[in-house]
Amino acid sequence: MNSVPSYVSISWSRDELTIIDQTLLPEKEVYLELTSHRQVWDAIKKLKVRGAPAIGIAGAYGLYLGISPLPENDPALFLHQAEEIASYLNSSRPTAVNLSWALDKIVHKLMRASDLPVATLKKLALQTAMEIHEEDRQLCKRIGESGVALIPDAARILTHCNTGSLATAEFGTAFSVILHAFRQHKLNHVWVDETRPLLQGARLTAWELKKAGIPFSLNIDSAAGFLMQQGEVDLVITGADRIAANGDTANKIGTYSLAVLANRHRIPFYVAAPYSTIDLQIENGNNIEIEMRSADEVSHFGEKKTAPEGIDVYNPAFDITPGELITAIITERGILKPDYSKSIQTYFG
Ligand code: MRU
């Protein structure tokens, strides 16, 4: 499959990181040119760039943007400042492990090469960011190729949040499986959860599916159970922000409810993610930090207030789906099945 979407979520050229501003979609297709690590931090925090793999890629370029103006006469100071910039970028959003994974990868490379001149270390950081970017494109393509084997003919797939090219270097994770199924004429329909409160399903997945010419309907999140009860859903597939060593998975708020519903209706529930989303340091989902976001996202609909002034709001951005509710985890190296404690270990060799 060689087709490239008519938009690019992240690109790098001449010391500038260009991202499509995902907060303005689908109304406006605006590209932002980021030239400092502070701008990258802000773009990640405000979800201008979002989706676990995409924030890892943006963070990696952000680290390069942060270190490139640093003086080159004191290597020890340079490495110390590089670590500080990495930790600053990592503070933008806590749940998706891809961000710390990408930043750690670059910092470790710099540490291992610390006897090289600082100018060379800077080039090494940029080269690694570009490798992370290109690798993600390949991983996502392979996730689609391996996941399509799980899709029955004439499949009706329900998905949540946005997992497409916008959320990755290209192709997406769960979206890549959907795209491959469509190309192989195995897809009947996609049900798209709108994904309250920030509407990544309505604004972004619907936009990407429409551009790809894939048949879909947009539904409110709370219609998912009714759709399953009516026999309209053959499988559910989502992405992931962090997968613990036992398969427990953090993903967009509402994913856990979908997994419970799928289980109740004996519908397969799949998670698609690259190896960079699996965190072996985290034993189980209880130890994954869940980002809490501002009250305004729930008490307002855009500019319009939809709740009384001054009330308390609960707004976690993610939830944890226990591994026992996940039928399989689709990776670039094939399909992982329960017991995930074992299959994930085997996967990492
Ligand atoms: O808050 P967001 O929009 O960054 O949340 C994104 C998700 O939950 C995605 O499902 C996940 O990152 C997988 S992206 C391929």
Side-chain angles (χ1 to χ4, degrees):
M1 187 180 61
N2 293 317
S3 72
V4 174
S6 56
Y7 53 95
V8 179
S9 58
I10 305 177
S11 60
W12 176 264
S13 163
R14 276 168 287 160
D15 277 5
E16 253 177 27
L17 177 63
T18 303
I19 58 162
I20 189 165
D21 185 343
Q22 298 194 36
T23 62
L24 301 179
L25 289 171
E27 255 186 319
K28 289 186 205 138
E29 223 171 289
V30 174
Y31 287 84
L32 303 174
E33 278 150 15
L34 310 180
T35 52
S36 78
H37 65 289
R38 291 189 193 285
Q39 288 176 334
V40 174
W41 185 94
D42 188 69
I44 295 173
K45 181 81 186 169
K46 294 186 176 151
L47 273 59
K48 291 176 183 178
V49 56
R50 49 144 299 284
I55 67 175
I57 297 163
Y61 285 122
L63 178 52
Y64 172 71
L65 287 173
I67 63 172
S68 70
L70 294 178
E72 301 186 348
N73 55 346
D74 184 342
L77 179 65
F78 170 78
L79 288 172
H80 175 69
Q81 288 174 319
E83 276 186 295
E84 280 187 341
I85 292 166
S87 120
Y88 164 74
L89 284 163
N90 195 37
S91 71
S92 54
R93 293 192 81 189
T95 305
V97 69
N98 306 63
L99 179 57
S100 58
W101 170 84
L103 294 166
D104 287 351
K105 189 169 176 146
I106 296 178
V107 169
H108 289 149
K109 264 201 183 178
L110 297 182
M111 294 296 171
R112 280 199 303 271
S114 59
D115 48 343
L116 297 176
V118 170
T120 312
L121 294 180
K122 289 181 180 176
K123 281 191 196 133
L124 183 62
L126 178 58
Q127 186 196 322
T128 311
M130 288 168 136
E131 281 166 12
I132 288 169
H133 192 172
E134 178 51 31
E135 183 192 48
D136 189 63
R137 184 174 289 118
Q138 303 300 331
L139 296 175
C140 287
K141 188 163 180 283
R142 279 191 264 142
I143 285 172
E145 288 162 359
S146 77
V148 77
L150 295 169
I151 309 300
D153 283 339
R156 294 153 311 161
I157 302 179
L158 188 139
T159 191
H160 193 65
C161 198
N162 172 265
T163 64
S165 288
L166 289 170
T168 60
E170 203 184 327
F171 303 113
T173 55
F175 194 99
S176 182
V177 178
I178 292 170
L179 201 55
H180 279 74
F182 175 65
R183 297 273 154 82
Q184 293 183 19
H185 308 287
K186 290 176 102 179
L187 189 72
N188 178 310
H189 203 73
V190 183
W191 298 108
V192 181
D193 274 3
E194 64 173 350
T195 317
R196 280 279 290 149
L198 296 181
L199 305 177
Q200 287 91 332
R203 294 188 303 104
L204 309 176
T205 303
W207 186 77
E208 292 198 277
L209 286 167
K210 189 169 176 227
K211 276 190 183 282
I214 297 175
F216 70 96
S217 304
L218 177 66
N219 55 270
I220 59 169
D221 300 333
S222 42
F226 187 54
L227 278 170
M228 291 183 199
Q229 197 180 43
Q230 299 290 302
E232 294 291 339
V233 180
D234 298 309
L235 63 110
V236 179
I237 180 164
T238 73
D241 283 82
R242 192 183 296 242
I243 301 174
N246 72 343
D248 291 356
T249 293
N251 191 52
K252 180 51 57 194
I253 190 75
T255 303
Y256 169 56
S257 319
L258 282 180
V260 173
L261 282 168
N263 208 259
R264 167 75 174 81
H265 292 282
R266 297 191 164 72
I267 293 167
F269 181 89
Y270 299 119
V271 167
Y275 79 97
S276 50
T277 303
I278 302 178
D279 187 353
L280 291 180
Q281 310 300 316
I282 300 271
E283 213 176 304
N284 62 57
N286 297 333
N287 302 325
I288 299 178
E289 182 179 346
I290 299 294
E291 176 186 7
M292 300 301 292
R293 293 191 63 90
S294 85
D296 288 2
E297 292 179 354
V298 178
S299 62
H300 289 65
F301 208 82
E303 296 297 301
K304 189 175 165 37
K305 200 189 291 179
T306 54
E309 192 71 50
I311 58 158
D312 186 50
V313 170
Y314 176 62
N315 186 19
F318 302 96
D319 60 24
I320 307 289
T321 300
E324 69 197 56
L325 294 181
I326 300 171
T327 314
I329 298 175
I330 302 163
T331 75
E332 72 284 355
R333 275 186 256 156
I335 313 295
L336 307 184
K337 291 270 177 68
D339 170 351
Y340 295 114
S341 303
K342 292 195 184 118
S343 53
I344 287 177
Q345 282 298 336
T346 313
Y347 165 75
F348 279 101

